[in-house]
Amino acid sequence: MDLVPALEEPLKKVLGPATAKVMAEHLGLHTVGDLLHHYPRRYEERGQLTHLADLPMDEHVTVVAQVADARLHTFASAKAPRGKGQRLEVTITDGSGRLQLVFFGAGVHKPHKELLPGTRAMFAGKVSVFNRRVQLAHPAYELLRGDAEETVETWAGALIPIYPATAKLESWKIGKALQTVLPSAQEAVDPLPEPLRAGRGLVGLPEALLKIHHPHTKADVEDARARLKWDEAFVLQVALARRRHADAQLPAVARRPKPDGLLTAFDDRLPFTLTEGQRKVSAEIFTDLATEHPMHRLLQGEVGSGKTMVALRAMLAVVDAGGQAAMLAPTEVLAQQHHRSITEMMGELAEGGMLGGAETATKVVLLTGSMGAAARRHALLDLATGEAGLVIGTHALIEDKVKFHDLGLVVVDEQHRFGVEQRDALRGKGRQPPHLLVMTATPIPRTVAMTVFGDLETSVLDQLPAGRSPIASHVVPAADKPHFLARAWERVREEVAGGHQAYVVCPRIGDEEDDPKKAGRKKSPEDEAERRPPLAVLDIAEQLAAGPLRGLRVEVLHGRMQPDDKDAVMRRFAAGEADVLVATTVIEVGVNVPNATAMVIMDADRFGVSQLHQLRGRVGRGSAPGLCLLVTEMPEASPARQRLTAVASTLDGFELSRIDLEQRREGDVLGQAQSGTRSSLRMLAVIDDEEIIAEAREEAAGIVAADPELTGLPGLRTALEALLDEEREQYLEKG
């Protein structure tokens, strides 16, 4: 966390190359300082056993439990045809639940000798289901012998820290490595300004690190957590406050729509009135556009709340003021759809420079990677000359060849689909920084908005436009009650018979190459114990067309189809020429077919909460009620089933985003996939720690206002550099 050599020391030197390599590759830990900030996920008490009842499926877990019984079975297999195959089944208990461990082949000998009834140990492995029973296959384990000197030494104190671990490196090995580097914690430089630390009664950083890894009491853990949460919240909020401060210094062109211009003409031709929410949010945006530093606004609203309409009015206002506006969409399907719906809504106002175009009209161009050379050349020319006021496109908009005459506003749709560099490149295309409007249909709780989008002003659209229908959602437990699945397909047939259409969503396409390492190998019992692969679009479409949906017009849509084919399928479906669309999540965002009333999501447990909510928003977009069926084979008591039940029980996206966050245990709110680095949030739980985040934001704003360069706070500067390396700070900048 600072420049002190002890904490900068590479782990290779301290722990040896083999352990250091695993830590770097699997946990992203490179230095002593990194390891000291790899905090325990929880603690086990020596005298207690853990709860086996609520183990998360498909995750790597560590449990402390006692062996209840162990049985060795022999069986015949391809490798041991004469019945010489061996399987050891060990049942462990914690007093509240039981869990089965399985070992195969040569791997049975050591545990058969060591895991005798009554033995206590720590077990680490991946939770899977086999024959409808939860199990750990081939777990690693460490016996807890209270008398052995070495074990007592390693797990000193009454509390055993359980670390976020991987299959290659169990929690207890991480614990041993930490005992080795713990003395270096004394060298840690404190990032919190002394008055703030003293005023809030927080312990110093070296003490907090000692107490988190080597606590003697629960109070030690509380002290350490309180302190380390403040570090994370405060350093993050300082980074955001510096971002806001820097943005406020940037110049931008104020864009005020002219009276009786394009925006007025557009409003006059709308066949409906805007909702109260749309008017309010538009007013906030127009106020921002009229200022001389760049707008940075996040527009969040439920699926179907009319965000596109608000964004389009902002884009037209900028064109009125002499600028150009660009809308960045995450997929070609969505870019084409936005282009189609915007030109339809604008009518002759989108026919600038054409015969029959209105006097105030502008040109609306589409730019995607798969366009033909001639159409592309034409679009690029219209942008460079300023002939086109509006452009809708995918990341093709970002390429170097794309030049704008005067880019005034960038609208990013579904921001979580875009990486930092992409947004940055587009913003760099204006003569001065353009105004930025970021849209998302994934509702974001207030604390997350403060944490992740802390440099953006937030607007919320929470009203649905008139004429939207409610969506009924139900969980279909395919394994427990197969007749429920049969009934689901009957419901789809009923919807189609009533003149409507349906989506069937699958997690996978189905034409993936087989992994060459796995090909040609016979399946061993271990492989059999793994869960089956997710259901695939191509397989399911074939089964449905030949089986329960025989006679209906079934089409497929997935991301690896040619763009023209995708567009053709979407046009046919939108025109009612197909009854059922079997698709991957390419339909998750922005696809708008009001006549589609039913959706069946296969293997729904493989999707996240907000993704299910997004997908569900594709039905019920017309006047007929929507139906969403969540199909799963997960057992009733599993967390995956509870998650699906939560999705089925509410249509409130904010409530669901809370559930989603609470279930992401490592608190990686800052989007690992987008930033490419580990999350800086290890202690802070954005939902529970709302108060700390709000207070840290206030403190940070005061400190940055007084000293934007943090010249008087070297410890804080160092913490910023370490916690928010270049990449992280840029990531935050783009919100």
Side-chain angles (χ1 to χ4, degrees):
M1 195 148 191
D2 53 60
L3 304 176
V4 173
L7 296 198
E8 291 288 298
E9 190 87 60
L11 288 173
K12 195 158 62 179
K13 276 190 171 173
V14 189
L15 303 175
T19 307
K21 185 169 187 263
V22 177
M23 286 195 168
E25 285 176 7
H26 295 274
L27 296 169
L29 308 173
H30 302 278
T31 64
V32 168
D34 289 344
L35 182 53
L36 286 172
H37 288 287
H38 186 71
Y39 307 133
R41 177 184 275 178
R42 57 190 171 82
Y43 299 86
E44 287 300 344
E45 292 183 62
R46 269 198 186 288
Q48 282 188 340
L49 295 167
T50 67
H51 274 282
L52 296 179
D54 44 1
L55 290 178
M57 217 31 67
D58 260 1
E59 286 200 22
H60 210 83
V61 299
T62 301
V63 296
V64 174
Q66 188 159 337
V67 176
D69 67 48
R71 293 190 184 150
L72 192 61
H73 301 274
T74 54
F75 59 91
S77 71
K79 284 185 184 168
R82 294 204 187 89
K84 296 272 177 64
Q86 289 191 309
R87 181 172 77 247
L88 176 66
E89 290 179 2
V90 178
T91 305
I92 58 173
T93 176
D94 64 355
S96 73
R98 294 165 91 79
L99 175 68
Q100 192 167 50
L101 317 176
V102 265
F103 301 88
F104 295 101
V108 305
H109 305 309
K110 186 166 176 271
H112 190 217
K113 282 209 299 267
E114 295 183 333
L115 298 179
L116 304 171
T119 309
R120 295 193 61 235
M122 299 173 83
F123 301 93
K126 192 175 181 186
V127 183
S128 59
V129 172
F130 182 60
N131 278 347
R132 316 257 316 261
R133 287 174 73 183
V134 178
Q135 67 170 27
L136 298 184
H138 279 284
Y141 61 88
E142 172 93 344
L143 301 178
L144 291 175
R145 303 185 185 90
D147 52 359
E149 197 48 49
E150 192 252 355
T151 319
V152 174
E153 204 41 55
T154 314
W155 312 112
L159 297 170
I160 303 171
I162 305 289
Y163 289 93
T166 77
K168 296 271 191 295
L169 198 64
E170 293 86 21
S171 168
W172 51 88
K173 290 184 181 162
I174 296 171
K176 285 174 182 169
L178 265 151
Q179 297 304 321
T180 310
V181 302
L182 208 48
S184 307
Q186 295 301 342
E187 315 269 332
V189 172
D190 208 316
L192 290 191
E194 183 50 38
L196 188 158
R197 191 174 75 71
R200 295 186 177 274
L202 299 167
V203 301
L205 182 58
E207 189 183 337
L209 290 171
L210 283 172
K211 284 182 167 176
I212 201 78
H213 293 298
H214 195 121
H216 292 292
T217 62
K218 288 182 178 169
D220 283 354
V221 177
E222 289 314 306
D223 284 353
R225 280 191 171 149
R227 163 60 213 245
L228 295 168
K229 278 181 180 183
W230 251 94
D231 275 17
E232 285 176 13
F234 180 69
V235 174
L236 193 50
Q237 292 302 335
V238 166
L240 291 164
R242 291 183 72 194
R243 256 307 13 104
R244 290 194 299 273
H245 183 267
D247 284 341
Q249 318 303 312
L250 289 173
V253 180
R255 309 279 178 176
R256 296 181 184 84
K258 54 174 183 272
D260 301 326
L262 182 56
L263 181 61
T264 310
F266 175 74
D267 284 348
D268 288 347
R269 55 168 288 137
L270 280 181
F272 52 81
T273 55
L274 297 173
T275 64
E276 181 56 40
Q278 284 174 316
R279 281 201 294 275
K280 181 176 128 291
V281 170
S282 289
E284 291 169 353
I285 291 171
F286 290 155
T287 305
D288 283 358
L289 289 174
T291 60
E292 293 189 348
H293 59 86
M295 162 173 87
H296 290 108
R297 189 167 282 280
L298 170 70
L299 170 57
Q300 50 168 323
E302 280 290 4
V303 174
S305 56
K307 293 183 298 297
T308 311
M309 174 58 70
V310 169
L312 176 56
R313 293 185 72 243
M315 292 166 81
L316 296 176
V318 168
V319 175
D320 257 351
Q324 291 168 295
M327 181 185 269
L328 192 56
T331 64
E332 294 213 354
V333 169
L334 191 53
Q336 285 161 336
Q337 183 141 345
H338 274 319
H339 182 253
R340 203 157 46 234
S341 62
I342 284 173
T343 45
E344 277 167 17
M345 283 195 279
M346 288 176 65
E348 72 273 15
L349 297 175
E351 295 169 0
M354 289 150 78
L355 216 55
E359 190 185 330
T360 50
T362 186
K363 238 187 202 177
V364 181
V365 300
L366 174 70
L367 192 64
T368 64
S370 63
M371 283 169 73
R376 190 179 174 75
R377 225 179 9 256
H378 217 95
L380 290 172
L381 190 65
D382 285 344
L383 287 179
T385 58
E387 185 87 5
L390 302 185
V391 57
I392 290 113
T394 55
H395 51 267
L397 278 177
I398 292 161
E399 289 165 16
D400 291 346
K401 291 194 197 96
V402 182
K403 299 276 183 282
F404 287 85
H405 177 63
D406 179 13
L407 181 60
L409 170 67
V410 173
V411 177
V412 179
D413 191 16
E414 284 311 321
Q415 73 62 230
H416 62 277
R417 300 297 191 88
F418 289 98
V420 182
E421 299 75 17
Q422 293 171 308
R423 275 171 263 161
D424 206 18
L426 192 52
R427 279 172 69 182
K429 289 187 178 291
R431 279 184 254 172
Q432 284 192 322
H435 298 282
L436 176 70
L437 179 65
V438 168
M439 300 198 294
T440 177
T442 310
I444 300 160
R446 176 174 161 261
T447 40
V448 184
M450 278 197 301
T451 309
V452 185
F453 304 100
D455 58 335
L456 297 174
E457 299 298 324
T458 305
S459 297
V460 179
L461 272 178
D462 45 17
Q463 277 173 296
L464 287 188
R468 278 297 162 86
S469 303
I471 305 167
S473 306
H474 303 283
V475 178
V476 177
D480 308 351
K481 300 178 179 162
H483 59 286
F484 275 35
L485 184 57
R487 176 72 187 115
W489 302 127
E490 281 171 26
R491 284 292 289 115
V492 169
R493 293 195 82 99
E494 286 162 18
E495 290 296 314
V496 173
H500 297 298
Q501 292 159 283
Y503 297 102
V504 177
V505 182
C506 302
R508 204 164 58 95
I509 296 172
D511 60 354
E512 293 87 347
E513 291 292 311
D514 275 340
D515 183 340
K517 289 185 202 147
K518 290 180 187 163
R521 270 195 343 197
K522 286 217 167 57
K523 281 209 167 172
S524 68
E526 293 100 306
D527 293 334
E528 296 294 343
E530 287 295 322
R531 291 174 69 198
R532 63 164 174 74
L535 294 172
V537 166
L538 301 176
D539 305 341
I540 292 290
E542 207 173 293
Q543 288 165 23
L544 292 177
L549 302 185
R550 194 168 40 250
L552 301 187
R553 297 168 298 174
V554 177
E555 295 241 17
V556 289
L557 180 71
H558 58 74
R560 278 212 287 276
M561 288 164 65
Q562 287 302 314
D564 291 352
D565 296 344
K566 277 194 277 201
D567 197 40
V569 169
M570 267 325 294
R571 279 174 189 273
R572 283 199 295 278
F573 191 66
E577 293 163 21
D579 301 317
V580 178
L581 187 61
V582 183
T584 55
T585 53
V586 289
I587 61 153
E588 180 186 345
V589 231
V591 171
N592 185 23
V593 180
N595 191 44
T597 53
M599 176 177 284
V600 181
I601 303 179
M602 307 302 291
D603 275 348
D605 48 278
R606 311 264 181 160
F607 299 99
V609 170
S610 19
Q611 204 172 21
L612 290 168
H613 183 56
Q614 282 277 9
L615 285 165
R616 169 171 65 184
R618 301 299 116 221
V619 294
R621 299 176 78 84
S623 52
L627 172 69
C628 177
L629 301 174
L630 306 166
V631 180
T632 178
E633 292 185 359
M634 284 282 115
E636 194 164 355
S638 63
R641 267 286 277 282
Q642 289 158 12
R643 205 170 65 229
L644 295 181
T645 306
V647 173
S649 65
T650 177
L651 291 171
D652 178 345
F654 284 94
E655 179 54 33
L656 287 174
S657 66
R658 261 189 111 84
I659 294 167
D660 196 16
L661 270 166
E662 281 162 4
Q663 294 203 334
R664 288 196 226 158
R665 281 192 304 288
E666 291 305 88
D668 185 1
V669 183
L670 299 192
Q672 217 163 358
Q674 286 179 36
S675 65
T677 55
R678 283 176 304 130
S679 163
S680 59
L681 298 189
R682 298 184 188 86
M683 266 300 160
L684 203 61
V686 270
I687 290 283
D688 304 337
D689 298 324
E690 180 163 347
E691 215 171 288
I692 295 178
I693 293 170
E695 288 174 18
R697 186 180 167 106
E698 217 168 288
E699 293 270 11
I703 281 171
V704 170
D707 179 8
E709 292 308 306
L710 308 179
T711 37
L713 298 165
L716 179 55
R717 278 192 72 95
T718 309
L720 262 186
E721 284 157 22
L723 199 65
L724 306 172
D725 50 30
E726 269 308 281
E727 189 174 17
R728 168 73 61 195
E729 186 132 24
Q730 283 178 346
Y731 170 65
L732 287 170
E733 176 184 338
K734 315 308 173 295

